[in-house]
Amino acid sequence: MESYIYIDGWKEKIRFSSAHVIPEYEKCGRLHGHTYAVHVKLYGEPDDKGIIIDFSIIKENLKDIIKKIDHKIILPKKSKFAKIKIEKNSINMNTLGKNYIFPKEDCILLPIDSTSAEKLSCYILDNFIRKIKNYKNIVKIELGIDEGFGQGARVSIVMRN
Ligand SMILES: [Zn+2]
């Protein structure tokens, strides 16, 4: 029998609001923002107490990851379409022939090539795996973010413990 537990980020307030630019798409190539919600499903074997992992552990770890990007301008360090230059107090991003200058403290640079919902989901999942790697009974994780209500991306990984 397969079991999983899940967290709905909208209902459990695992949410963040951030701004980004996606130069690969014309409409998204202008600075704009979203409220995101993080959802997760964890598949695994219930332990001798009958649970896979405590809900509160999942929520605390997800909140810990997203608090770093909440109310920030998210910039993709590895973008092929945006040139990002870090100055002393500011970050300069050149893309689509436009030049943005942001205060450094308002930004978070992530090790991803795009700030799409898909790539942000991968970033959050990578960080989440590191936090729960000691739970050897978890066999698969599906994680994703909604970019506003009704649309989002999901990524999944099979754990090889
Ligand atoms: Zn967007």
Side-chain angles (χ1 to χ4, degrees):
M1 198 184 293
E2 190 182 62
S3 328
Y4 71 81
I5 55 168
Y6 72 95
I7 298 284
D8 180 315
W10 291 120
K11 292 179 183 158
E12 289 299 322
K13 296 190 172 61
I14 317 288
R15 306 174 199 158
F16 61 100
S17 299
S18 305
H20 72 165
V21 177
I22 302 183
E24 292 88 327
Y25 294 94
E26 197 186 346
K27 195 179 145 204
C28 308
R30 298 189 293 262
L31 185 67
H32 65 280
H34 303 279
T35 293
Y36 297 91
V38 183
H39 308 295
V40 67
K41 264 187 192 178
L42 291 114
Y43 294 79
E45 279 296 315
D47 62 14
D48 51 6
K49 293 183 203 122
I51 64 164
I52 297 171
I53 179 172
D54 194 319
F55 293 120
S56 62
I57 293 169
I58 305 171
K59 291 189 277 187
E60 276 162 32
N61 282 309
L62 289 174
K63 281 179 180 169
D64 198 47
I65 297 164
I66 63 174
K67 76 175 180 213
K68 298 183 183 95
I69 51 183
D70 187 30
H71 285 74
K72 292 275 172 88
I73 300 156
I74 309 175
L75 301 173
K77 210 186 280 184
K78 296 180 175 173
S79 174
K80 293 189 203 90
F81 300 91
K83 232 176 94 190
I84 294 167
K85 214 168 120 195
I86 303 161
E87 311 280 357
K88 191 166 173 265
N89 297 313
S90 61
I91 295 183
N92 194 311
M93 180 169 77
N94 192 285
T95 186
L96 303 171
K98 297 178 287 188
N99 199 34
Y100 292 96
I101 301 169
F102 302 117
K104 205 180 205 172
E105 65 193 71
D106 291 3
C107 301
I108 175 118
L109 270 164
L110 297 184
I112 49 181
D113 60 4
S114 166
T115 53
S116 65
E118 292 84 341
K119 296 299 176 85
L120 285 173
S121 297
C122 292
Y123 168 78
I124 295 169
L125 179 56
D126 280 346
N127 282 272
F128 184 64
I129 290 167
R130 267 178 242 147
K131 289 180 181 285
I132 55 137
K133 62 177 186 294
N134 293 334
Y135 290 86
K136 305 292 184 198
N137 59 325
I138 293 169
V139 295
K140 186 182 168 191
I141 305 174
E142 278 176 33
L143 185 146
I145 58 172
D146 285 352
E147 217 179 53
F149 272 125
Q151 61 176 20
R154 303 288 182 268
V155 291
S156 66
I157 191 163
V158 173
M159 305 297 280
R160 282 174 242 282
N161 290 318

